[in-house]
């Protein structure tokens, strides 16, 4: 028996909905085919956006979407993607797959997509190969409501009123594909570029995000913070957020490993490597604390998820991979960890939304499937905008290799906007079910209902069998002596909704 302790009287912080955010890059079939099919497509669409994909994302309550990259962002020149589609520049996407980019999905289309999704907008600007003027004019084009060359151009292109840009990234991975800069060089460039990311709409200031580290590059975090940070006596700092990128590669960056064909050793190795994100949050967070002890600057984990060897027979530059119960556990674990660190982690964007890496949706022509990762996000949506509650679960270490042992259980608990307590609990074991007793401090439990996702470790949905992995109601949780009593099956993600 493992005890789960919950103290509903102790609220630990607000869970930003953006912690469940997504990322879409001009990469493979993410934007084209996966989201945007064009107005003339036989696939049912609204202004070119696939209706099936948009509806599924709305159901999951997608809170924010990052675009246009990734590495693509630092090669993207936004003016190529505005105006009549026939005249937009065609070019080769040299970074991803060497295919033709016809720029038919640009600024207007992205804002239209977010409007249909009802989600916040996160635009990543080009610092690597773009100019200060280019970035500054993009912000003017997007957000200025007055007389100016860019506002006039926007109107000429059919959009009278400015849009709202919620988040703006100044460069991406500038330690690598975004210009191979040193932290000090980037920090100084950042100070300059961000100056011209103007807040034309003072009521809705843009949240500016600086490029953060890759994995455990603590020197980058320290260097950028030291160069860019402004003393607390200034009302406004130069940055609102600092990013962090961490992908889970079970077999390392070079080999990666199959998305579907793996054994129990690789299962635990993958989960252990994904749990490493908590160390990264703590360590990078400690460096940020040196400069920002009041946690004014958010940690923005705007690329995370599994990165496996792409599916056999597909373009290696498209990063298309299948998605199994292992991905479901990776998603469940990460989202629980982000919740527990909601005092610092203000946004996280899984890579990537459709058809790329750990996608929530896969498409093939007119067909669409929801992956196990989708179902996890759909179960976790109740944590959005909720208050994190103090919770603790007893665990034991499991696994097959000493180096990659993991706790058997992983959880987070929140008080939702709906007034209910939401528990999300993962059983990382491949073969053991666990009896759980949920103990609540000073709170009477009135009712409980649940939803579960469970299956074989490599179970996944295919276009032939689209519903093999899906959620079902979980009625195995009972209330006894004001405690929750239940058994969580092996290899599962569980959501309990508790009425108190
Ligand atoms: O998500 C794929 C790529 O991974 C992104 O373009 C880049 O930022 C990262 O290296």
């Amino acid at each position: 028996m493992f005890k789960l302790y919950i103290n509903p009287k102790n609220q630990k912080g607000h869970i930003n909905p953006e912690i469940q955010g997504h990322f879409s890059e001009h990469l493979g079939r993410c934007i084209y085919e996966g989201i945007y099919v064009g107005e003339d497509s036989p696939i049912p669409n609204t202004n070119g956006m696939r209706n099936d994909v948009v509806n599924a994302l709305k159901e999951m309550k997608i809170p924010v979407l990052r675009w246009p990259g990734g590495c693509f962002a630092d090669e993207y020149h936004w003016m190529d993607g505005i105006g009549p589609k026939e005249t937009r520049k065609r070019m080769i996407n040299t970074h991803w797959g060497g295919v033709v980019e016809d720029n038919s999905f640009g600024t207007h289309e992205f804002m239209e997509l977010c409007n249909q999704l009802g989600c916040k907008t996160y635009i990543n600007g080009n610092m690597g190969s773009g100019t200060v003027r280019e970035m500054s004019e993009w912000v003017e084009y997007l957000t200025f409501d007055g007389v100016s060359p860019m506002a006039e151009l926007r109107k000429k292109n059919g959009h009278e009123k400015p849009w709202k840009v919620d988040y703006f990234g100044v460069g991406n991975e500038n330690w690598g594909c975004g210009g191979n800069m040193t932290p000090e060089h980037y920090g100084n460039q950042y100070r300059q570029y961000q100056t011209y990311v103007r807040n034309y709409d003072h009521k809705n200031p843009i949240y500016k995000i600086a490029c953060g580290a890759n994995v455990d590059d603590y020197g980058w975090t320290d260097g950028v913070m030291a160069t860019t940070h402004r003393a607390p006596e200034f009302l406004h700092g130069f940055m609102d957020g600092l990013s962090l990128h961490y992908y889970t590669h079970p077999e390392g960056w070079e080999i990666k490993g199959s998305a579907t064909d793996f054994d129990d050793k690789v299962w635990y190795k993958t989960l252990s490597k994904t749990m490493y994100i908590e160390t990264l949050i703590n360590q990078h967070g400690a460096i940020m604390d040196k400069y920002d002890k009041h946690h004014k600057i958010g940690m923005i984990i705007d690329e995370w998820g599994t990165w496996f060897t792409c599916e056999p027979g597909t373009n290696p530059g498209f990063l298309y991979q299948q998605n199994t119960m292992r991905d479901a556990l990776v998603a469940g674990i990460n989202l629980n960890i982000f919740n527990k660190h909601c005092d610092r982690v203000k946004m996280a964007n899984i890579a990537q939304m459709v058809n790329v890496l750990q996608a929530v949706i896969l498409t093939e022509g007119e067909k669409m499937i929801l992956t196990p990762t989708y179902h996890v996000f759909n179960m976790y949506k109740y944590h959005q905008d909720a208050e994190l509650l103090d919770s603790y679960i007893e665990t034991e270490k499991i696994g097959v290799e000493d180096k990659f042992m993991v706790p058997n259980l992983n959880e987070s608990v929140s008080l939702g906007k709906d007034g209910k307590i939401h528990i999300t609990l993962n059983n990382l074991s491949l073969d053991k079910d666990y009896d759980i007793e949920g103990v609540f401090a000073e709170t009477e439990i009135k009712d409980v209902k649940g939803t579960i996702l469970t299956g074989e470790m490599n179970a996944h949905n295919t276009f032939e069998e689209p519903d093999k992995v899906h959620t079902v109601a979980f009625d195995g949780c009972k209330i006894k002596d004001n405690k929750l009593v239940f058994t969580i099956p092996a290899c599962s993600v569980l959501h309990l909704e508790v009425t108190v």
Side-chain angles (χ1 to χ4, degrees):
M1 162 87 69
F2 291 85
K3 285 193 175 168
L4 165 63
Y5 297 95
I6 298 168
N7 184 355
K9 307 285 180 229
N10 188 2
Q11 299 187 1
K12 309 271 284 179
H14 185 71
I15 301 175
N16 249 7
E18 286 88 330
I19 278 181
Q20 295 180 19
H22 289 259
F23 169 37
S24 59
E25 181 166 9
H26 287 240
L27 194 177
R29 297 184 303 112
C30 182
I31 297 286
Y32 301 112
E33 288 185 44
I35 299 167
Y36 182 72
V37 287
E39 292 79 350
D40 301 331
S41 170
I43 298 174
N45 69 84
T46 304
N47 299 330
M49 315 298 158
R50 292 180 72 125
N51 292 343
D52 53 356
V53 169
V54 167
N55 288 337
L57 294 169
K58 278 167 79 174
E59 169 63 26
M60 192 190 74
K61 289 206 184 314
I62 176 171
V64 63
L65 184 59
R66 176 178 183 234
W67 172 84
C71 294
F72 184 80
D74 280 292
E75 290 185 25
Y76 183 62
H77 301 286
W78 68 272
M79 283 210 182
D80 297 344
I82 55 169
K85 294 206 173 168
E86 327 68 81
T87 60
R88 292 190 193 177
K89 278 189 194 159
R90 288 164 64 82
M91 57 192 61
I92 301 292
N93 186 336
T94 46
H95 215 99
W96 301 116
V99 288
V100 173
E101 164 64 63
D102 68 2
N103 278 303
S104 55
F105 188 95
T107 301
H108 290 248
E109 290 74 22
F110 175 68
M111 296 316 258
E112 163 67 14
L113 171 64
C114 292
N115 183 43
Q116 288 187 27
L117 293 172
C119 74
K120 290 193 176 170
T121 54
Y122 175 7
I123 289 187
N124 212 118
N126 176 352
M127 178 203 265
S129 68
T131 61
V132 178
R133 176 174 179 174
E134 191 180 355
M135 190 180 284
S136 154
E137 287 186 338
W138 199 5
V139 174
E140 182 187 324
Y141 187 90
L142 284 156
T143 61
F144 188 59
D145 192 11
V147 180
S148 85
M150 290 303 116
E152 290 312 309
L153 186 58
R154 183 189 68 235
K155 289 176 194 169
K156 194 174 136 234
N157 287 332
H159 210 273
E160 185 67 26
K161 282 282 155 202
W163 293 281
K164 183 162 179 278
V165 174
D166 298 288
Y167 297 93
F168 195 92
V170 180
N172 166 75
E173 296 196 349
N174 302 90
W175 36 261
C177 66
N180 289 308
M181 302 176 192
T182 62
E184 292 72 27
H185 178 71
Y186 172 77
N188 282 319
Q189 293 267 100
Y190 174 85
R191 290 171 76 112
Q192 182 187 356
Y193 274 69
Q194 70 80 35
T195 308
Y196 303 96
V197 177
R198 300 260 193 234
N199 276 318
Y200 295 108
D201 177 358
H202 296 290
K203 285 197 194 121
N204 297 299
I206 296 172
Y207 188 104
K208 297 177 195 176
I209 300 171
C211 165
N214 187 34
V215 195
D216 58 354
D217 185 353
Y218 301 120
W220 179 273
T221 301
D222 201 39
V224 171
M225 286 298 292
T227 315
T228 9
H229 183 252
R230 239 181 166 192
E233 53 269 25
F234 288 95
L235 194 56
H236 299 291
F238 293 132
M239 69 164 91
D240 300 300
L242 181 67
S243 69
L244 169 66
H245 288 183
Y246 177 60
Y247 285 97
T248 302
H249 306 290
E251 304 292 8
W253 170 250
E254 294 297 329
I255 303 174
K256 298 191 181 76
S258 163
T260 50
D261 187 12
F262 55 89
D263 59 16
D264 52 351
K265 225 166 149 180
V266 179
W267 165 272
Y268 289 111
K269 193 191 273 190
T270 310
L271 300 189
S272 151
K273 288 196 171 185
T274 219
M275 294 199 95
Y276 179 57
I277 202 157
E278 186 149 36
T279 303
L280 297 175
I281 294 171
N282 286 331
Q283 300 284 89
H284 286 290
I287 297 168
M288 291 169 79
D289 284 354
K290 266 198 333 187
Y291 303 91
D292 173 42
K293 65 173 187 242
H294 298 300
H295 290 201
K296 279 168 123 183
I297 299 174
M299 187 182 287
I300 308 295
I301 307 174
D302 54 15
E303 289 187 33
W304 68 273
T306 55
W307 191 324
F308 302 124
T309 306
C310 62
E311 287 304 303
T314 63
N315 184 331
F318 280 15
L319 311 184
Y320 177 75
Q321 67 190 39
Q322 251 296 354
N323 196 293
T324 66
M325 274 305 296
R326 178 174 56 161
D327 294 84
L329 268 293
V330 165
I333 291 167
N334 275 281
L335 294 175
N336 275 345
I337 292 174
F338 300 158
N339 281 351
K340 294 245 177 181
H341 290 272
C342 65
D343 60 327
R344 185 58 99 175
V345 179
K346 298 298 174 191
M347 172 159 61
N349 309 70
I350 190 169
Q352 298 190 4
M353 193 164 72
V354 189
N355 291 333
V356 172
L357 300 176
Q358 194 178 347
V360 288
I361 289 174
L362 301 178
T363 67
E364 196 178 84
E366 61 182 14
K367 293 189 206 152
M368 174 194 87
I369 54 176
L370 306 176
T371 65
T373 300
Y374 174 92
H375 293 300
V376 173
F377 272 83
N378 204 26
M379 284 196 283
Y380 274 63
K381 64 188 173 191
Y382 303 94
H383 287 309
Q384 290 190 24
D385 237 345
E387 300 307 314
L388 179 74
L389 294 183
D390 188 15
S391 68
Y392 170 79
I393 191 156
E394 295 173 347
T395 58
E396 66 183 19
K397 288 272 181 182
I398 56 168
V400 285
E401 291 175 286
D402 286 350
K403 216 173 143 201
F404 299 112
M405 301 295 275
V406 290
N408 56 338
L409 300 161
N410 158 280
E411 50 71 41
S412 72
V413 183
S414 74
L415 174 64
K417 295 253 318 161
D418 55 4
K420 315 256 183 191
I421 291 178
H422 295 279
I423 303 170
T424 45
L425 179 62
N426 300 299
N427 182 350
L428 283 65
S429 171
L430 278 177
D431 46 24
K432 283 206 186 98
D433 306 343
Y434 296 105
D435 295 334
I436 312 285
E437 189 178 85
V439 185
F440 286 67
E442 296 171 44
T443 309
E444 191 195 339
I445 312 168
K446 297 199 178 117
D447 193 20
V448 60
K449 59 182 190 184
T451 310
I452 193 162
L453 186 75
T454 187
E456 297 292 312
M457 66 179 177
N458 48 15
H460 56 279
N461 293 331
T462 62
F463 294 96
E464 293 70 43
E465 214 181 339
D467 214 19
K468 188 174 160 94
V469 184
H470 60 272
T471 51
V472 290
F474 179 76
D475 53 15
C477 184
K478 307 285 173 224
I479 302 172
K480 267 194 206 148
D481 302 329
N482 202 45
K483 289 177 186 141
L484 297 180
V485 181
F486 60 97
T487 302
I488 183 166
C491 189
S492 60
V493 180
L494 172 68
H495 167 228
L496 293 176
E497 179 187 292
V498 185
T499 309
V500 291

